[in-house]
Amino acid sequence: MKLKLYILLLFLIGKSFFAQNNYYWVGGAGSWTDLNHWRIGSSSGQTATIIPSRYDNVYINSGSGFPASGSVTLTIPSSATCKDFIIDDSFTGKVNFPAGSIFNIYGNLKWKSNAGALYNMTMNLYADSSNSTPNLIDIPDNLIDPNYIYINYTSSINLKGNGTFKLVRNFASNGYFQFNVSESAFLDTDNKNITSQQFVYSSTTASKLGTSTLAGNLATFNAAANLTQATLSYSNLTVQTTQDIKRLHCLQLPDMSR
């Protein structure tokens, strides 16, 4: 009996420790690590006692305090980690994230073009096979502030883990992006298109790329990539000799040496 109570106590403690909270940003410009800018449950909720973790959802909405114009920055000292990262449809303000910002997102990603990174950004997206639903990637247009695009600054979208990602819209952000699918990540494009400076598919899992058009400058696909219905359009392309591709547009001969 005592053993059962002890196990139950450990379960409750663990559940409490990993409890998911909804964090709302308030007060406009500030640092991700400043607790005064975080509210729990709603924009008018209690002040947070710790910054968001990989188990917590983050919301930027109409109550976040950003003006409709100007350069107002939400500073990320090292990296920003959370479960869902949601820029709500109600958000009409303008917010920038500093150059070199790193996001570690373990759930859904929803962006809006009135938010933008300066120069380069790194978006690390993680999915776990224990989740019954895919992590949604909803990026309607641009991730980079149009005033801060330079060819020497490369940004990246990195899909990692062993779970499933699903595109809600076409990915065609401004800026110079690398789109990477690695580890054992499964990508369901839902027949949406991906346009990026570079696309690298190194995942050990065969993704569902459907009838998507994948386009850009450079691309590398391993043997696991399922391109049977996809259209590829790249200047430089490296593929496995065993790949079946529906349609191929290439400005240079592909590298078939591997």
Side-chain angles (χ1 to χ4, degrees):
M1 183 64 179
K2 288 184 177 180
L3 179 60
K4 290 182 178 179
L5 289 174
Y6 179 72
I7 293 174
L8 177 61
L9 179 62
L10 287 178
F11 172 77
L12 293 174
I13 292 174
K15 187 175 181 180
S16 175
F17 182 78
F18 294 115
Q20 174 180 300
N21 286 308
N22 292 327
Y23 278 69
Y24 288 78
W25 180 269
V26 298
S31 172
W32 183 275
T33 57
D34 187 347
L35 295 177
N36 293 313
H37 283 282
W38 293 114
R39 298 292 182 269
I40 302 298
S42 70
S43 298
S44 58
Q46 65 181 19
T47 303
T49 56
I50 56 175
I51 63 172
S53 73
R54 60 175 290 184
Y55 305 100
D56 301 310
N57 301 321
V58 165
Y59 294 88
I60 296 176
N61 63 8
S62 58
S64 292
F66 292 102
S69 61
S71 181
V72 183
T73 302
L74 197 167
T75 303
I76 299 174
S78 56
S79 63
T81 298
C82 61
K83 187 180 180 184
D84 293 354
F85 183 85
I86 307 295
I87 301 179
D88 191 76
D89 289 336
S90 68
F91 180 68
T92 57
K94 182 73 170 67
V95 58
N96 285 329
F97 299 94
S101 292
I102 299 174
F103 292 84
N104 298 312
I105 299 174
Y106 290 81
N108 300 318
L109 168 62
K110 180 178 173 60
W111 197 267
K112 286 192 70 178
S113 60
N114 43 337
L118 308 183
Y119 305 111
N120 56 322
M121 73 182 308
T122 300
M123 191 73 73
N124 296 317
L125 307 181
Y126 299 89
D128 194 296
S129 60
S130 63
N131 295 331
S132 59
T133 57
N135 290 1
L136 301 179
I137 303 174
D138 186 356
I139 303 173
D141 35 43
N142 296 327
L143 284 163
I144 307 297
D145 188 304
N147 297 313
Y148 293 88
I149 298 175
Y150 295 94
I151 193 169
N152 293 329
Y153 294 93
T154 301
S155 300
S156 62
I157 300 282
N158 305 309
L159 277 53
K160 302 182 177 185
N162 58 10
T164 300
F165 298 93
K166 186 174 183 177
L167 292 185
V168 175
R169 309 170 191 263
N170 296 333
F171 177 83
S173 175
N174 61 356
Y176 297 88
F177 267 90
Q178 295 178 350
F179 198 105
N180 305 308
V181 185
S182 62
E183 298 180 359
S184 297
F186 179 93
L187 172 61
D188 178 3
T189 61
D190 196 29
N191 301 316
K192 306 299 190 300
N193 303 325
I194 299 175
T195 303
S196 58
Q197 179 75 0
Q198 183 175 2
F199 190 107
V200 177
Y201 193 98
S202 60
S203 173
T204 59
T205 302
S207 287
K208 184 180 179 182
L209 301 178
T211 59
S212 297
T213 295
L214 311 178
N217 184 27
L218 304 172
T220 301
F221 296 93
N222 66 7
N226 182 4
L227 303 169
T228 55
Q229 295 298 314
T231 297
L232 305 184
S233 181
Y234 292 99
S235 300
N236 296 277
L237 177 63
T238 300
V239 297
Q240 297 287 340
T241 56
T242 54
Q243 279 291 349
D244 294 325
I245 302 171
K246 180 181 179 181
R247 187 175 292 111
L248 176 63
H249 303 289
C250 195
L251 300 180
Q252 299 180 25
L253 289 177
D255 179 1
M256 308 295 289
S257 62
R258 296 187 178 184

